[in-house]
Amino acid sequence: MTPVFPMLTVLSMFYYMCLRRRARTATRGEMNSRRAIESNTRALPINVEIVQYAKEVLDFSSHYGSENSMSYTMWNLAGIPNVYPSSGDFTQTAVFRTYGTWWDHCPSARLPFKRTPPTFCSQDYVELAFEEPVYPTAVHILETYHPGAVVRILACSANPYSQNPPAEVRWEILWSEAPTKVNGPQARQFTPCIKQINFPTNLIRLEVNSSLLDYYTELDAVVLHGVKERPVLSLKTSMIDMNDIDEDEDEEKYGCGMDALNKQFSIVTLREWPTNGYFDKLPYELIQLILSHLTVPDLCRLAQTCKLLYQHCCDPLQYIHLSLQPYWARINDTSLEYLQSRCTLIQWLNLSWTGNRGAISVSGFSRFLKVCGSELVRLELSCGHFLNETCLEVITETCPNLQELNLSSCDKIPPQAFNHIAKVGSLKRLNLYRTKVEQTALLSILNFCSELQHLSLGSCVMIEDYDLIASMMGAKCKKLRSLDLWRCKNITESGIAELASGCQLLEELDLGWCPTLQSSTGCFTNLARKLPNLQKLFLTANRSVCDTDIEELAANCAHLRQLDILGTRMVSPASLRKLLESCKDLSLLDVSFCSQIDNRVVLELNANFPNVFIKKSFTQ
C-alpha cells in the first residue's frame, strides 16, 4: 500500500500557501466576490469608530464659484453639511465647472489622447484633509443635486498636517466605478463599499465624471468613518483556486505603489528574452500598428517578452502622443528619467495632475524637457503644483514648436513667471484658468502671440483692467476663435466693443458672471451683430439680458448651438420661440432662474423643439 504521508505533506504545503496568499489579499482589502475564493471577512470590534467631517479642502481641479467667494466653491465641502438632506440648486454647496458633454462639442474642445485606459474616466477632483488619521471603514458623500458624478475615492498615506514629509507618498484606491446615470436630481447619501487599506489616512480624494449628468452635480459634505488601530481580520476560507496565486503575484508586481511604473520601465534590462515566435515574420509597420492600441503599462510589460517586442515597445514612434495623467499617483522623477529615451519624438504630452507633493522636482521636469521638448506641439500641465518660474522658462527655451499650453489651476506659479510665455510666438491655444497671471504679463503674451486661436482667462482674479486686455485682443489676436472670460469682474461695454470689432472670427465666448456688463449699453446686441459665427455664448447670471438681445441673436447668429442666460428676469417666452425657430443648430439652452420662464413654458418649448435641451433649475 502506498504511504499517505507524502501526500499529506503536499496538501499541508498547499494549504499553507493558500492561507498565506489569503492573508496578503486581506490586508490589501482585495476581497472580491467575483473571484473563485469565497470568504467572509469582517473587522473584529476592537476599535471605537471615529466619525469626522472634512477639516479643510487642500486642492481641486475646478469649481463653478469665484476665487473670492464661498458660493458654489469647493471650500464648501469643509465642515458639517449646509444643505443636506434638502435637494436643489444651493450656493452653499461645492460645484465643479462642467457637466454633460456640451463642452466636448464646442469650438474650444480638445482632441482626446489615445491610449487612455478604459478604467480612467476622471474629469475633475477634490482633495480633503481630516483631523485624525484613521483606517477607513466607510466614506459618506452627501450629494444634494444631480448625484452620480463620483467615480473614484482614494486615500493617501501622507499626513497633510505632519511636520515631517514621508519618504514615499502612496495613494490607494478605496472604490472606483464607471460613471452611472442616476434617475432624478434628488439629494442622496452615497456610501460605496470601500476596501480596507494597510495604512491610516486623513487625506481623501474624490474624482468625478459629470458627462452623464443633465446639470451640475452639487456636493455638500464628506464624512470619513474609521478606526485608529488597524483592524484584525477573521477569515473563513471555503474554496481555493490555483489561478489566484498567479493573479496575486501579478498584482504585487504591478500594484498601485508610486514606483510601479518605474519597475516596469526598468525590469526589461534584467531578464533574458526567449525566441520571437512568429512576430519576426510580420512587417515592422504592422507590429507598430498593433502595439499602438496598448496602454503605457502594457507596453512596458510586453517589452519583457522578447528582444523583438522590446525594440518595438521602446521605439519613440510609440510615444508620439503620451498621456501620463491616468497614472498621476505613480509618476515621479524616476518615471520621467526612464521615459526619456522613448520620448525623443514626442509631440503631445499630458502631465496634468502629476508631480504634486514632491513627486516631480523642478530639476527632473527640466531634464526631461531638455531631452524630449524639441518636437512638442501640445503640453498639458493642469494642476501641476510643482511648476515654478524655472519650469516656464525651460518650456519656452526647449519647446520651440509649442502650439498648445494648458496651465489651468496651476495656482502656485508666481505672477512674474508668466512673462516667459510671451517668448512662444507659435502658441495657438493657451489655458490660464485659475492662475495668478497679471495684467503686464498677459499684455505681453497677447502682443507677441498673435497666432492665438483659443484663450481661457476664467477666474484670473489678478487682472486689473479687462477692457485694456480686450482692446489688445482686438488689435493683436485677429485669429481668436474661442475666449473664456468667466467671472471677469471689470470688463465693460467698451472692452466688448473693441473685442467684437477686432476678433470677428469668434465662435465661442463665455461672459458668465461678468457683473459689469449691462444690456442697456447695447453691448450684447453689438456682439450679436459683429460676431455672426458664434456657436456658444454664455451670459450666465447677467440679470439685464432682455428680449432685444435674444432677438438680435436670432437675427444674426444662425449657427448658435449653446446659449446660457441663467438668472435673467427680462426674457419672455416669445423671444425664446423666435430664437429656437431661427437657430436650427441650437442644442443647449439654459434658462434656470429666469423668472418669466416657468415649468409650463419649458414643457411647451420642449414639445415644439425636441432636439434642444432646455434646462430649468430649481431650489427647494
Side-chain angles (χ1 to χ4, degrees):
M1 184 176 177
T2 305
V4 297
F5 298 107
M7 180 60 69
L8 289 175
T9 303
V10 171
L11 289 175
S12 299
M13 291 176 62
F14 173 69
Y15 185 65
Y16 169 75
M17 290 171 59
C18 292
L19 287 181
R20 188 167 175 266
R21 188 263 171 197
R22 175 55 55 194
R24 290 202 306 270
T25 306
T27 58
R28 292 199 309 271
E30 295 172 351
M31 303 298 183
N32 195 318
S33 60
R34 293 172 295 180
R35 295 203 176 179
I37 295 180
E38 300 173 358
S39 62
N40 179 18
T41 306
R42 60 182 178 82
L44 297 180
I46 61 172
N47 288 323
V48 175
E49 189 172 62
I50 297 174
V51 178
Q52 49 187 332
Y53 291 96
K55 177 181 179 180
E56 185 181 358
V57 176
L58 297 179
D59 188 23
F60 54 90
S61 54
S62 77
H63 61 181
Y64 186 90
S66 166
E67 301 302 294
N68 301 320
S69 171
M70 288 296 291
S71 298
Y72 296 123
T73 64
M74 287 298 118
W75 299 303
N76 285 320
L77 276 176
I80 62 174
N82 298 309
V83 173
Y84 187 84
S86 298
S87 298
D89 190 338
F90 290 90
T91 62
Q92 302 96 321
T93 58
V95 184
F96 292 98
R97 176 79 192 272
T98 63
Y99 75 95
T101 58
W102 314 109
W103 315 89
D104 299 327
H105 300 94
C106 299
S108 62
R110 294 167 295 174
L111 293 173
F113 277 79
K114 297 179 180 178
R115 282 184 160 151
T116 300
T119 55
F120 181 80
C121 56
S122 304
Q123 298 173 332
D124 276 296
Y125 73 86
V126 59
E127 293 181 0
L128 305 168
F130 295 80
E131 182 71 35
E132 295 287 338
V134 295
Y135 292 90
T137 56
V139 176
H140 302 311
I141 303 170
L142 306 184
E143 304 170 281
T144 55
Y145 200 39
H146 288 278
V150 178
V151 292
R152 283 213 301 186
I153 304 173
L154 302 97
C156 185
S157 62
N159 184 341
Y161 301 120
S162 173
Q163 299 298 320
N164 302 315
E168 179 188 17
V169 177
R170 292 177 54 198
W171 284 93
E172 194 76 33
I173 298 174
L174 299 180
W175 171 88
S176 67
E177 192 173 283
T180 55
K181 179 79 170 179
V182 177
N183 294 326
Q186 286 75 26
R188 72 170 185 177
Q189 176 179 291
F190 179 52
T191 308
C193 182
I194 65 172
K195 77 172 186 179
Q196 293 185 1
I197 56 177
N198 59 5
F199 58 81
T201 183
N202 61 338
L203 175 51
I204 296 294
R205 174 178 172 123
L206 308 182
E207 294 184 357
V208 304
N209 181 313
S210 303
S211 61
L212 298 183
L213 302 186
D214 292 334
Y215 206 58
Y216 300 95
T217 190
E218 300 191 8
L219 309 179
D220 193 13
V222 176
V223 192
L224 174 63
H225 291 239
V227 292
K228 294 292 288 182
E229 299 296 331
R230 183 174 174 180
V232 177
L233 301 173
S234 67
L235 303 174
K236 295 180 181 178
T237 303
S238 59
M239 183 171 62
I240 300 293
D241 187 343
M242 282 293 293
N243 293 328
D244 252 6
I245 298 176
D246 295 333
E247 222 176 86
D248 183 64
E249 290 174 356
D250 282 343
E251 288 166 0
E252 288 188 346
K253 187 181 298 180
Y254 306 117
C256 293
M258 176 66 81
D259 62 346
L261 282 184
N262 302 338
K263 292 179 181 178
Q264 294 169 34
F265 293 147
S266 61
I267 199 170
V268 292
T269 63
L270 305 176
R271 291 189 173 186
E272 294 294 329
W273 292 279
T275 60
N276 296 332
Y278 292 99
F279 272 95
D280 52 4
K281 307 296 184 184
L282 298 176
Y284 192 91
E285 294 80 4
L286 181 56
I287 300 177
Q288 286 285 294
L289 179 61
I290 294 171
L291 300 190
S292 68
H293 296 278
L294 298 180
T295 63
V296 175
D298 288 338
L299 274 180
C300 298
R301 292 166 188 162
L302 187 63
Q304 303 169 32
T305 57
C306 66
K307 288 183 178 180
L308 176 66
L309 292 180
Y310 171 75
Q311 293 169 358
H312 278 281
C313 292
C314 295
D315 191 322
L317 291 174
Q318 288 291 335
Y319 300 86
I320 299 295
H321 294 177
L322 176 63
S323 176
L324 296 177
Q325 182 180 5
Y327 320 106
W328 61 266
R330 309 184 228 171
I331 299 301
N332 56 20
D333 282 347
T334 308
S335 310
L336 296 182
E337 184 179 349
Y338 283 130
L339 284 168
Q340 278 185 19
S341 62
R342 309 181 188 194
C343 295
T344 53
L345 300 178
I346 192 169
Q347 296 178 7
W348 288 14
L349 175 62
N350 186 358
L351 286 173
S352 294
W353 301 6
T354 66
N356 298 333
R357 294 185 174 83
I360 294 179
S361 66
V362 172
S363 58
F365 176 77
S366 302
R367 284 194 303 270
F368 182 82
L369 276 196
K370 287 175 182 177
V371 174
C372 307
S374 61
E375 301 297 324
L376 264 184
V377 175
R378 176 179 175 183
L379 182 56
E380 305 280 341
L381 296 169
S382 173
C383 305
H385 300 314
F386 66 91
L387 296 171
N388 62 7
E389 183 171 4
T390 300
C391 294
L392 292 196
E393 186 175 8
V394 169
I395 291 171
T396 59
E397 291 175 352
T398 60
C399 305
N401 300 307
L402 195 63
Q403 296 180 11
E404 300 186 20
L405 179 60
N406 181 3
L407 298 174
S408 64
S409 291
C410 293
D411 53 359
K412 303 295 190 297
I413 300 177
Q416 71 275 7
F418 293 94
N419 285 294
H420 294 285
I421 298 176
K423 303 172 188 175
V424 190
S426 57
L427 273 183
K428 294 183 179 180
R429 183 188 297 269
L430 179 60
N431 190 338
L432 298 177
Y433 167 72
R434 287 192 66 238
T435 62
K436 295 177 180 177
V437 62
E438 289 183 333
Q439 186 163 302
T440 303
L442 185 54
L443 289 172
S444 179
I445 292 170
L446 297 174
N447 187 42
F448 290 102
C449 300
S450 58
E451 298 295 315
L452 276 174
Q453 296 179 18
H454 305 281
L455 178 62
S456 176
L457 299 175
S459 294
C460 291
V461 298
M462 300 188 71
I463 297 173
E464 300 167 356
D465 187 352
Y466 268 99
D467 281 346
L468 183 58
I469 297 298
S471 177
M472 180 65 82
M473 290 180 198
K476 296 290 185 177
C477 302
K478 302 292 186 179
K479 300 179 181 180
L480 206 60
R481 293 180 53 213
S482 72
L483 177 61
D484 180 8
L485 295 178
W486 175 263
R487 292 191 180 274
C488 125
K489 293 296 184 184
N490 52 39
I491 193 167
T492 67
E493 66 277 5
S494 174
I496 292 296
E498 296 276 359
L499 182 68
S501 297
C503 302
Q504 296 191 2
L505 298 180
L506 270 174
E507 299 172 355
E508 177 179 341
L509 182 58
D510 194 332
L511 296 172
W513 296 89
C514 295
T516 50
L517 293 176
Q518 294 297 314
S519 174
S520 59
T521 64
C523 59
F524 300 136
T525 57
N526 188 32
L527 277 178
R529 293 168 183 169
K530 294 285 183 66
L531 303 177
N533 297 317
L534 271 181
Q535 297 180 27
K536 172 183 173 181
L537 178 62
F538 274 29
L539 302 175
T540 316
N542 192 301
R543 316 297 188 207
S544 68
V545 176
C546 63
D547 283 345
T548 302
D549 304 319
I550 302 301
E551 290 168 3
E552 286 291 342
L553 288 172
N556 297 285
C557 302
H559 304 294
L560 194 64
R561 296 182 177 181
Q562 300 180 27
L563 177 64
D564 186 344
I565 53 172
L566 175 149
T568 181
R569 306 186 181 106
M570 313 292 289
V571 172
S572 67
S575 64
L576 287 185
R577 291 189 190 95
K578 290 182 182 179
L579 179 76
L580 292 165
E581 290 168 355
S582 301
C583 300
K584 303 298 184 182
D585 297 330
L586 197 67
S587 58
L588 170 65
L589 177 61
D590 194 337
V591 292
S592 300
F593 303 109
C594 294
S595 56
Q596 294 191 45
I597 313 300
D598 57 24
N599 289 332
R600 179 187 56 81
V601 172
V602 172
L603 289 173
E604 176 195 333
L605 294 176
N606 274 325
N608 294 326
F609 304 95
N611 294 328
V612 184
F613 178 78
I614 303 175
K615 179 58 187 175
K616 176 71 174 177
S617 186
F618 72 97
T619 301
Q620 287 185 350

